Amino acid sequence: MTILIEQPDHQLGSQMEEKKLCSETNETCELVLDGGFVVPKDISKNDGCVTQEIAASNDAFIAPEINSFGQSFRDYNAESERQKSVEEFYKSNHINQTLDFVKKMRQEYSKLNRVEMSIWECCELLNEVVDDSDPDLDEPQIEHLLQTAEAIRKDYPNEDWLHLTALIHDLGKVLLLPSFGELPQWAVVGDTHPLGCAFDEYIVHHKYFKENPDYNNASFNTKYGIYSEGCGLDNVMISWGHDDYMYLVAKENGTTLPQAGLFIIRYHSFYPLHRAGAYRHLMNKEDEENLKWLQVFNKYDLYSKSKVRVDVEKVKPYYLSLIEKYFPAKLRW
């Protein structure tokens, strides 16, 4: 089954378009992102309590400028107990994610012999999961999946494959659960990065790589390492986690999602690439095209993390119809 999708019309790497939405009665200015949803400049009352202000009249998704902890998104330097645990997580991640470890995990989990269940059953399993690496979220993961999917659905109503991709992009986090091996958090969540070449300075908490066994390997510590220019991300070993696992599950179970959807699932945590432009020298032309959709997706993945609740039962029939369209009834995990 071939699915043709149009490329998003914004330029690659485009920044937020700043627009003034000030009225005579309200001097607050907001940012409008490419997808059409609004990031309020000021969403707090005078007493310091965070509020959910609605500044747009077109029913587009409204994204807050601060996360559910009252801080800027992806601020890894903010002082808080949450930030301390996040930094400890990345220390473990950067020390233990080696090329040999990733090869071992890919070989083990490619067997897909742990569980057989549907996509929606897996979504419900995520009620048991909280991501220790995320400085913006402490809600069950099912909340984030639906927030992201519904936000994209508002702004891209005709791209149903993108709605479903948003719903399932984090399902690989079930690796934290006993039935899936109960892997440690550092082997499941967090930003991802290549192994087998130099660790780029844009990787969060980069300093901890000095304790990684690969750090002093002469074959790995150059710009290209074991790779070549334009080799394609499919040929690059990325740190193991929920991204690569869900990509493997989707692909091996015969999903009919377009390649852009699979690319989003596999690389949505690859922040050094799609936020800072690192490792672009390893990409090929197909990666470049798919990256455009990943950058569209990322805005919703990041900024939809809020306390806004989604009525699961109300939206469930729609997403079940998409699951039936793009996946078999049962999948091997």
Side-chain angles (χ1 to χ4, degrees), residues 88-139:
E88 283 301 312
F89 160 83
Y90 275 107
K91 180 178 181 180
S92 297
N93 175 279
H94 293 350
I95 292 173
N96 292 292
Q97 287 272 3
T98 64
L99 184 61
D100 285 343
F101 172 76
V102 173
K103 289 179 178 179
K104 178 182 177 181
M105 289 295 98
R106 282 191 176 185
Q107 181 178 13
E108 173 63 27
Y109 281 93
S110 65
K111 299 174 184 177
L112 299 179
N113 60 357
R114 300 194 174 257
V115 177
E116 184 173 302
M117 63 180 172
S118 69
I119 289 289
W120 191 262
E121 287 173 326
C122 189
C123 289
E124 293 178 331
L125 271 183
L126 285 198
N127 280 323
E128 304 173 30
V129 173
V130 173
D131 183 345
D132 284 350
S133 74
D134 195 335
D136 302 320
L137 186 70
D138 65 350
E139 298 292 332

Side-chain angles (χ1 to χ4, degrees), residues 69 76 81-91 128-139 141 173 176 183-191 205 242:
F69 298 97
Y76 291 93
E81 289 302 314
R82 179 70 173 174
Q83 294 295 347
K84 291 177 182 177
S85 67
V86 170
E87 181 167 354
E88 283 301 312
F89 160 83
Y90 275 107
K91 180 178 181 180
E128 304 173 30
V129 173
V130 173
D131 183 345
D132 284 350
S133 74
D134 195 335
D136 302 320
L137 186 70
D138 65 350
E139 298 292 332
Q141 293 297 306
K173 290 180 180 180
L176 294 167
L183 295 181
Q185 290 260 345
W186 61 261
V188 179
V189 297
D191 292 4
H205 294 303
H242 70 280

Side-chain angles (χ1 to χ4, degrees), residues 228-267:
S228 59
E229 185 171 5
C231 64
L233 294 182
D234 191 49
N235 295 308
V236 176
M237 300 294 286
I238 304 292
S239 53
W240 175 256
H242 70 280
D243 305 54
D244 217 19
Y245 177 57
M246 188 58 211
Y247 164 79
L248 181 66
V249 169
K251 183 180 179 181
E252 295 303 315
N253 280 281
T255 182
T256 54
L257 284 173
Q259 284 300 313
L262 291 173
F263 188 90
I264 289 170
I265 292 169
R266 194 176 196 183
Y267 301 113

